[in-house]
Amino acid sequence: MKPTLLILAAGMASRYGSLKQIQQFGPSGETIVDYSIFDAIRAGFGKIVFIIRKDFEKDFKDIFEPKLKGKVATDYVFQEMNAFTQGHGQNGYRHDLHCAG
């Protein structure tokens, strides 16, 4: 069984000012996530799971699905900010992984 890469990308990036997870900055428009995925595929990972907010879904699929089709399986898990925190905000990676579980 090949390993799965979890991309924890549900944050709002409010200090950054935009969704840094999908901001294109590489010489050919690569995102920071593209580099992680590239390395994971080369290392033998068989699946990429994006942990994102539901309202990020279209942007993520528009950017990553064309690049990954036929290379690696993908899936999306939706993290809602108050799903497990009773309105007290996000609890970091622990919350991300709980949503993926």
Side-chain angles (χ1 to χ4, degrees):
M1 175 182 242
K2 293 184 175 186
T4 297
L5 176 66
L6 295 178
I7 302 286
L8 308 177
M12 291 298 294
S14 56
R15 290 175 292 180
Y16 184 74
S18 66
L19 289 179
K20 63 184 171 189
Q21 306 92 315
I22 57 175
Q23 181 75 44
Q24 297 178 339
F25 70 91
S28 297
E30 296 89 357
T31 69
I32 191 85
V33 174
D34 285 321
Y35 290 102
S36 298
I37 292 171
F38 176 82
D39 289 342
I41 292 171
R42 283 185 49 197
F45 281 65
K47 186 175 185 179
I48 309 296
V49 175
F50 295 94
I51 302 176
I52 59 174
R53 291 171 47 133
K54 180 71 173 160
D55 52 321
F56 297 172
E57 180 180 17
K58 182 180 181 336
D59 291 332
F60 270 75
K61 285 186 175 183
D62 288 350
I63 291 169
F64 295 108
E65 289 301 315
K67 296 177 187 180
L68 299 177
K69 187 175 183 177
K71 295 179 183 174
V72 66
T74 59
D75 200 1
Y76 297 83
V77 173
F78 303 111
Q79 177 183 6
E80 297 308 323
M81 300 310 280
N82 62 358
F84 300 100
T85 60
Q86 293 80 39
H88 291 67
Q90 185 179 8
N91 288 321
Y93 296 130
R94 179 174 49 105
H95 185 238
D96 297 338
L97 297 173
H98 184 77
C99 290

